[in-house]
């Protein structure tokens, strides 16, 4: 009886997750069909607000020079840009690389401060320190490895000026700059395509819900001061502040033409600990905001809470259960070659229809995964299709282990009062 219940519950959960994926895929497809053929021209803005760009850097000597040059070369009036470069608790030559770049003749008269910080709070701590001295009307954030496209800031500002009273922040899209390095970075690139070009775009197009991605975004300076800044020590300070913006009834608008190129982990260990940190942060945010499902918060907050809760708890549990069902039954089938009396545990009392539905579910999950990755221009190649199939059984399944460890770690941090804000530095590589 219990095994039948687990099988049916898994079946329903997977159908629901497929429906959620199809909804976002529909929203993204409708958006790109409308916008992909639009010719974008760079025309003067009616107003150029002052921007404070903040770059938090912790032991980033390998990549910080290129990022600094990319920011200083942005297509935005130099007189309107204040750049704050933070060498945060660095033990390498990050600060020296910053000075070396800023001292180049073409940047001689730029408004740049290099701050060697000794403090706590991680990235959120850096942003709160910057908030105290920022002169710009908006704060723009770029991670040390995020190389902005020349017009990235222009498009962020252009979007926020469409409705500055309602758009309290705008965010762009991020791409993988080392996508072809190895199998891992190729898989990460496919994940980024799904999250940036489908999920973020689809959710914004359908519901006007935006999520600050951590880099390549701007946010109203006075508003951040009003809400008390970023949550110090938060592992995913971007998701946390996104909820606060929505709770106040404001929007985080998508500037889809604004692009930055990030360097992704090239080694499995770096990837694992980076994603573990992200997963822990997202679980913390979901748990802290779960109450909004039952209070008087606006519908966007409730929908976002429900979506993230389903993604990180319900759907992940469904995948774990489906894997258990698959491997247990596979083990039973193999064992029956040696002992025919061994029952197939999840045979569901010989209900062939349910077994067929589970198989169809499994095939639909794979098909949807491949479709999501290959619906974007330039991705529908035979190599990408094969990569998507292989990554589904390898790379994607790794996130199950990450999620399980993240949940256990978050619970352990709360029970044993541990400091859950420490994380392993992601290794960078020279381009």
């Amino acid at each position: 009886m219990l095994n039948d219940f687990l099988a049916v519950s898994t079946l329903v959960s997977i159908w629901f997750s497929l429906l959620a994926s199809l909804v976002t895929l529909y929203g993204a497809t409708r958006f790109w069909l409308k916008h992909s053929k639009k010719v974008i021209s760079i025309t003067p803005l009616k107003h150029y607000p002052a921007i404070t760009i903040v770059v938090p850097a912790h032991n980033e000597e390998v990549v910080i020079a290129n990022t600094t040059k990319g920011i200083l070369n942005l297509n935005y009036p130099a007189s309107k840009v204040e750049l704050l470069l933070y060498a945060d608790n660095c033990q390498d030559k990050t600060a020296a690389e910053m000075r070396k770049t800023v001292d180049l003749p073409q940047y001689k008269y730029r408004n740049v401060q290099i701050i060697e910080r000794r403090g706590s709070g991680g990235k959120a701590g850096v942003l709160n320190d910057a908030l105290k001295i920022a002169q710009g009307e908006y704060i723009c954030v770029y991670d040390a490895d995020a190389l902005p496209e020349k017009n990235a800031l222009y498009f962020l500002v252009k979007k926020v000026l469409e409705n500055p009273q309602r758009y309290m922040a705008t965010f762009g899209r991020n791409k993988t700059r080392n996508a072809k390095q190895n199998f891992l970075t190729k898989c990460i690139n496919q994940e980024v395509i799904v999250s940036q070009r489908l999920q973020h775009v689809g959710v914004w197009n359908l519901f006007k819900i935006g999520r600050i991605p951590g880099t390549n975004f701007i946010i109203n300076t006075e508003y951040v001061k009003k809400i008390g800044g970023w949550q110090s020590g938060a592992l995913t300070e971007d998701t946390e502040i996104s909820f606060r913006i929505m709770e106040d009834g404001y929007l985080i608008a998508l500037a889809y033409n604004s692009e930055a190129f990030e360097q992704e982990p090239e080694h499995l260990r770096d990837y694992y600990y980076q994603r573990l940190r992200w997963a822990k942060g997202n679980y913390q945010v979901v748990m802290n905001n779960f109450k909004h499902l039952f209070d008087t918060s606006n519908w966007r907050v409730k929908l976002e809470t429900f979506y993230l809760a389903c993604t990180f708890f319900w759907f992940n549990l469904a995948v774990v259960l489906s894997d258990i069902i698959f491997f247990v039954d596979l083990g039973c089938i193999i064992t029956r070659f040696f002992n025919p009396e061994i029952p197939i545990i999840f045979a569901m009392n010989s209900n062939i229809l349910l077994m067929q539905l589970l198989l169809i579910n499994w095939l639909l999950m794979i098909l949807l995964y491949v479709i999501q990755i290959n619906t974007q221009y330039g991705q529908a190649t035979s190599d990408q299709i094969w990569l998507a199939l292989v990554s589904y059984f390898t790379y994607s399944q790794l996130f199950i282990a990450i999620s399980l460890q993240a949940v256990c770690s978050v619970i352990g941090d709360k029970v044993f009062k541990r400091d859950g804000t420490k994380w392993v530095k992601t290794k960078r590589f020279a381009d």
Side-chain angles (χ1 to χ4, degrees):
M1 186 66 180
L2 177 61
N3 56 347
D4 286 0
F5 173 77
L6 289 176
V8 174
S9 298
T10 302
L11 180 71
V12 173
S13 300
I14 292 176
W15 274 109
F16 195 85
S17 68
L18 287 171
L19 177 61
S21 297
L22 285 172
V23 169
T24 55
L25 179 60
Y26 163 75
T29 302
R30 193 176 73 170
F31 178 89
W32 289 115
L33 287 175
K34 180 180 178 181
H35 291 85
S36 61
K37 294 183 180 180
K38 280 188 176 181
V39 178
I40 304 299
S41 57
I42 308 298
T43 57
L45 300 175
K46 60 183 180 181
H47 167 55
Y48 286 91
I51 306 293
T52 296
I53 301 178
V54 183
V55 181
H58 174 65
N59 294 336
E60 300 283 8
E61 64 178 1
V62 176
V63 296
I64 193 61
N66 280 342
T67 300
T68 303
K69 291 176 184 177
I71 291 172
L72 291 172
N73 291 331
L74 284 167
N75 178 27
Y76 201 82
S79 62
K80 295 290 187 177
V81 174
E82 173 190 35
L83 177 57
L84 304 180
L85 298 171
Y86 278 86
D88 181 35
N89 295 291
C90 293
Q91 289 84 45
D92 64 355
K93 298 178 180 178
T94 297
E97 288 295 320
M98 290 173 174
R99 293 190 183 93
K100 182 179 177 182
T101 305
V102 173
D103 287 342
L104 292 173
Q106 61 267 40
Y107 308 130
K108 184 177 181 180
Y109 299 105
R110 298 299 297 271
N111 182 6
V112 182
Q113 293 187 55
I114 297 173
I115 299 129
E116 295 190 58
R117 181 178 183 267
R118 292 289 182 267
S120 60
K123 181 179 176 182
V126 171
L127 295 178
N128 285 328
D129 284 357
L131 182 63
K132 298 173 184 177
I133 62 174
Q135 300 298 311
E137 185 178 342
Y138 291 89
I139 289 178
C140 175
V141 179
Y142 283 108
D143 287 342
D145 67 310
L147 183 64
E149 189 272 331
K150 186 176 181 179
N151 295 303
L153 180 57
Y154 167 88
F155 286 120
L156 290 173
V157 173
K158 182 179 181 180
K159 186 64 181 180
V160 83
L161 291 179
E162 290 180 6
N163 192 348
Q165 301 305 316
R166 192 80 192 280
Y167 295 167
M168 205 50 58
T170 58
F171 68 102
R173 296 184 296 111
N174 300 309
K175 292 184 175 181
T176 304
R177 63 201 264 191
N178 55 335
K180 298 181 180 180
Q181 191 66 25
N182 55 36
F183 175 74
L184 177 60
T185 60
K186 290 177 181 177
C187 291
I188 294 174
N189 180 54
Q190 290 192 335
E191 176 193 350
V192 170
I193 289 169
V194 172
S195 64
Q196 299 285 321
R197 291 185 64 87
L198 293 183
Q199 292 177 352
H200 286 188
V201 170
V203 172
W204 169 253
N205 185 46
L206 292 175
F207 308 111
K208 293 297 179 284
I209 292 176
R211 303 162 187 158
I212 292 176
T215 188
N216 192 29
F217 72 91
I218 63 174
I219 186 168
N220 186 283
T221 305
E222 289 303 316
Y223 173 77
V224 181
K225 290 180 179 179
K226 180 182 176 182
I227 64 173
W230 282 266
Q231 182 181 331
S232 184
L235 293 175
T236 50
E237 77 295 326
D238 45 4
T239 308
E240 189 276 332
I241 202 169
S242 295
F243 265 96
R244 286 197 276 168
I245 292 172
M246 285 190 292
E247 287 170 26
D248 287 339
Y250 298 110
L251 298 180
I252 305 166
L254 170 65
Y256 71 95
N257 282 315
S258 177
E259 297 179 340
F261 297 84
E262 292 185 297
Q263 188 180 94
E264 299 294 350
E266 296 182 5
H267 296 153
L268 188 60
R269 180 180 182 276
D270 294 321
Y271 164 83
Y272 190 90
Y273 283 106
Q274 182 193 67
R275 293 309 198 267
L276 178 62
R277 173 168 58 92
W278 291 358
K280 282 188 63 176
N282 284 321
Y283 278 117
Q284 289 171 352
V285 171
V286 172
M287 292 167 67
N288 291 338
N289 287 279
F290 195 76
K291 61 181 181 292
H292 293 311
L293 288 176
F294 311 101
D295 62 19
T296 57
S297 297
N298 65 72
W299 67 269
R300 285 191 176 89
V301 173
K302 292 182 182 295
L303 181 59
E304 181 73 341
T305 303
F306 180 70
Y307 180 86
L308 292 179
C310 287
T311 300
F312 288 100
F313 288 97
W314 185 12
F315 298 160
N316 277 347
L317 178 61
V319 173
V320 171
L321 288 175
S322 68
D323 284 351
I324 291 174
I325 291 172
F326 175 79
F327 285 110
V328 168
D329 280 0
L330 180 63
C332 291
I333 291 172
I334 294 173
T335 306
R336 282 167 67 94
F337 284 107
F338 307 97
N339 184 357
E341 300 299 322
I342 296 293
I344 299 177
I345 296 178
F346 292 101
M348 292 172 287
N349 297 325
S350 301
N351 192 325
I352 302 300
L353 177 60
L354 282 177
M355 294 178 67
Q356 289 173 337
L357 285 175
L358 276 174
L359 178 61
I360 292 172
N361 262 12
W362 183 65
L363 293 174
L364 283 174
M365 287 176 65
I366 299 173
L367 179 61
L368 183 59
Y369 180 82
V370 174
I371 290 174
Q372 285 180 321
I373 290 172
N374 291 280
T375 51
Q376 299 305 307
Y377 178 79
Q379 292 295 320
T381 65
S382 58
D383 288 344
Q384 289 293 332
I385 292 172
W386 283 113
L387 177 64
L389 286 170
V390 174
S391 68
Y392 178 85
F393 294 100
T394 54
Y395 174 82
S396 296
Q397 302 303 316
L398 179 60
F399 189 72
I400 297 173
I402 294 173
S403 296
L404 291 174
Q405 183 176 349
V407 171
C408 294
S409 182
V410 169
I411 294 174
D413 292 343
K414 288 185 176 295
V415 172
F416 299 107
K417 310 297 182 182
R418 299 183 309 207
D419 180 9
T421 64
K422 297 180 180 179
W423 50 277
V424 179
K425 177 75 178 67
T426 302
K427 186 177 180 181
R428 306 297 185 196
F429 301 89
D431 290 326

